[in-house]
Amino acid sequence: MYFARTGLTPKPSDPHLSAQPAPQLAQQDPRWLTLPAMNRSFTTHAIGRGEALIDLLRDNEVPANDAHTAVGALSKEFDPRRLMPEQQIRIFWESPSDLNAPDLKRFAGFDLVPEPTRHIVVRRMASQVYIASSFQRKLTERHFLARTLINSSVYEAARASGMAPATVIQLIRMFSYNIDFQRDIREGDQFEVLYTRLFDSENNLAEEGDILYAALTNQGRKFAMWAIKQADGGLAYYDAEGVSARRLLMKTPVDGARLSSRFGKRRHPILGYTRLHRGLDFAAPSGTPIYAAGNGQIVEIGRKGDFGNYIRIRHSNGYETAYAHMLRFSQGLKKGGRVSQGQIIGRVGASGLATGPHLHYEVILNGKHINPRTLALPAATALDTAGRARLNSIRSEVELRIRTLSVAADTRRAAKASGGDLN
């Protein structure tokens, strides 16, 4: 296994910043009027779950009036209610350079990065009012190459190669239309992924990027996909023939699930007699997201006898899918409403006649239930002549990028083996 990349390792946050002692405050001290030269310092804090920004400021010795005024200034640029748990906030303090006033410090404002490309600064001005300013952060895109053998699971192998969890999930979804990750993956299978990450001007990781190319070799058969940017700015993946990675329906509309019951006749675990099981059961922790298997219209939603919370969706070409035993439905869903493939429609539960949390998933074609595992689904789209020419150009660019990263990785390994230090 090796992991090739460009650029430097992002610098970790300074662990000493959040450990600095709280400043001694003296906002009303008249000495501020005669001390023009100032030193500035800051402490770093993370918003806790259920904590408001103003509470974080107050808990870190910012006076109530200053905290309210500063948050009010922020509200003109960004709604503080949108801040998520673990959001980093830097609180700034200023103190006089005059050594005759060593005890004097006061709140000078705060800053935050609520979005990867946005930096907001709230400053205390000389007039004692607070002003919020928003700045665009310039991010630099860097390319990374991961190659590894699979010893246990794709997820574990990809994480061990350095890929972020969200990128690994994206990788799995790309191939989920062609590969059963629960039954098809074998030890010794391998993958190769070219992806991007975005870094700020201080070389800190700002955001995970996109997968530009991925190849998965499964039991000797290679599946490869390349990304093509769409008119809406999103990415779609195509194989070497220009056929879309997406299919009309997803075979497994829930992440990380275990197939607990197959299609066909079985002895019912609660009723005790044998009857036809007209779908698949996927065991997963309660609350796990359930995705719409394809674009379509909701034709039934609500409680449905033994099925508990139930949704049925009509798709094109005579297909329908059904989802049962759900914990709850996503907000805004209703009969007649439209859903898109991959949209979260609810959560795994054990409503109705169920021994534990799982998703019961059915596929119906022209009124007849069929086995989702053996379903040969048509591709969602295929490229025309111009699209295939564009794909060929992208493939050439990807091959050049992979060769460049591979050479860089080989050079680093050789330098390390010889005792050198090559960055």
Side-chain angles (χ1 to χ4, degrees):
M1 179 189 78
Y2 75 86
F3 177 52
R5 63 174 191 163
T6 61
L8 303 174
T9 303
K11 294 183 293 185
S13 58
D14 187 345
H16 300 292
L17 293 178
S18 59
Q20 294 182 16
Q24 299 180 32
L25 302 170
Q27 272 74 2
Q28 308 305 319
D29 195 306
R31 289 177 293 174
W32 285 111
L33 302 176
T34 59
L35 296 170
M38 295 291 171
N39 292 324
R40 290 173 65 83
S41 62
F42 64 86
T43 56
T44 302
H45 311 271
I47 290 182
R49 186 170 297 278
E51 183 180 33
L53 173 59
I54 196 165
D55 296 327
L56 181 145
L57 296 176
R58 292 292 312 279
D59 289 345
N60 287 280
E61 307 299 329
V62 176
N65 287 342
D66 286 320
H68 280 281
T69 307
V71 172
L74 172 67
S75 299
K76 297 177 182 178
E77 291 286 343
F78 181 84
D79 186 351
R81 293 173 298 183
R82 290 173 51 199
L83 295 175
M84 302 297 290
E86 302 304 320
Q87 170 70 56
Q88 297 290 305
I89 306 292
R90 293 196 303 178
I91 302 177
F92 288 88
W93 308 93
E94 59 186 15
S95 59
S97 301
D98 191 328
L99 297 179
N100 293 324
D103 61 327
L104 215 53
K105 286 189 178 181
R106 68 180 176 188
F107 173 61
F110 62 87
D111 76 345
L112 66 154
V113 180
E115 301 158 1
T117 58
R118 193 177 184 194
H119 177 205
I120 300 178
V121 180
V122 177
R123 295 185 179 92
R124 182 191 189 108
M125 309 302 289
S127 58
Q128 309 307 309
V129 299
Y130 290 90
I131 300 294
S133 303
S134 182
F135 305 92
Q136 281 292 113
R137 301 176 75 217
K138 183 179 180 180
L139 302 181
T140 301
E141 183 180 76
R142 298 178 187 166
H143 293 80
F144 294 77
L145 177 65
R147 283 176 177 161
T148 189
L149 291 173
I150 300 170
N151 294 318
S152 54
S153 72
V154 172
Y155 185 88
E156 290 178 359
R159 290 290 291 125
S161 74
M163 295 174 64
T167 309
V168 179
I169 294 300
Q170 183 184 359
L171 172 68
I172 291 172
R173 287 182 181 169
M174 283 174 58
F175 293 103
S176 62
Y177 301 98
N178 298 303
I179 295 174
D180 182 342
F181 283 93
Q182 295 170 336
R183 296 190 299 176
D184 293 344
I185 295 296
R186 298 289 187 271
E187 184 175 353
D189 288 350
Q190 56 188 331
F191 65 79
E192 177 180 67
V193 184
L194 176 68
Y195 63 101
T196 62
R197 281 175 167 165
L198 301 176
F199 293 83
D200 64 19
S201 59
E202 296 182 351
N203 201 41
N204 295 312
L205 177 63
E207 187 177 22
E208 295 295 334
D210 298 304
I211 293 178
L212 304 181
Y213 159 80
L216 179 61
T217 301
N218 173 233
Q219 302 183 49
R221 184 181 178 189
K222 186 175 182 178
F223 299 86
M225 297 288 173
W226 290 262
I228 296 182
K229 182 166 287 189
Q230 305 298 289
D232 62 1
L235 296 178
Y237 295 92
Y238 294 85
D239 66 15
E241 303 302 319
V243 177
S244 172
R246 285 199 311 116
R247 294 295 184 262
L248 181 67
L249 299 176
M250 300 168 64
K251 288 187 176 181
T252 308
V254 60
D255 283 334
R258 174 179 58 84
L259 183 62
S260 57
S261 186
R262 290 177 168 79
F263 184 93
K265 288 188 177 182
R266 66 161 188 176
R267 184 178 179 83
H268 195 279
I270 294 178
L271 300 177
Y273 57 81
T274 299
R275 69 176 186 181
L276 179 63
H277 188 237
R278 301 191 298 177
L280 301 174
D281 287 349
F282 295 100
S286 181
T288 300
I290 298 169
Y291 306 103
N295 300 332
Q297 183 177 38
I298 298 174
V299 294
E300 190 173 352
I301 182 170
R303 296 286 297 191
K304 187 179 176 69
D306 292 351
F307 283 132
N309 292 326
Y310 174 91
I311 293 180
R312 184 162 54 91
I313 301 173
R314 179 179 297 132
H315 309 281
S316 60
N317 299 348
Y319 286 96
E320 293 184 340
T321 55
Y323 315 77
H325 304 304
M326 300 167 70
L327 175 67
R328 61 179 179 271
F329 308 118
S330 295
Q331 291 185 351
L333 299 185
K334 61 181 180 180
K335 185 176 179 179
R338 305 288 302 183
V339 295
S340 57
Q341 188 175 59
Q343 178 181 338
I344 297 177
I345 58 174
R347 304 282 171 169
V348 169
S351 59
L353 200 61
T355 57
H358 72 282
L359 168 67
H360 174 77
Y361 174 56
E362 297 180 352
V363 176
I364 305 104
L365 177 59
N366 297 323
K368 180 181 178 181
H369 286 78
I370 55 179
N371 187 349
R373 310 308 287 177
T374 59
L375 191 58
L377 291 165
T381 57
L383 296 174
D384 56 15
T385 301
R388 287 194 295 273
R390 186 181 174 200
L391 173 62
N392 290 335
S393 176
I394 290 172
R395 290 179 61 186
S396 296
E397 294 173 5
V398 165
E399 289 169 4
L400 176 59
R401 182 77 65 177
I402 289 175
R403 285 199 299 270
T404 301
L405 292 175
S406 297
V407 169
D410 291 342
T411 302
R412 282 195 296 271
R413 281 199 303 272
K416 184 177 181 181
S418 63
D421 184 12
L422 183 62
N423 292 324

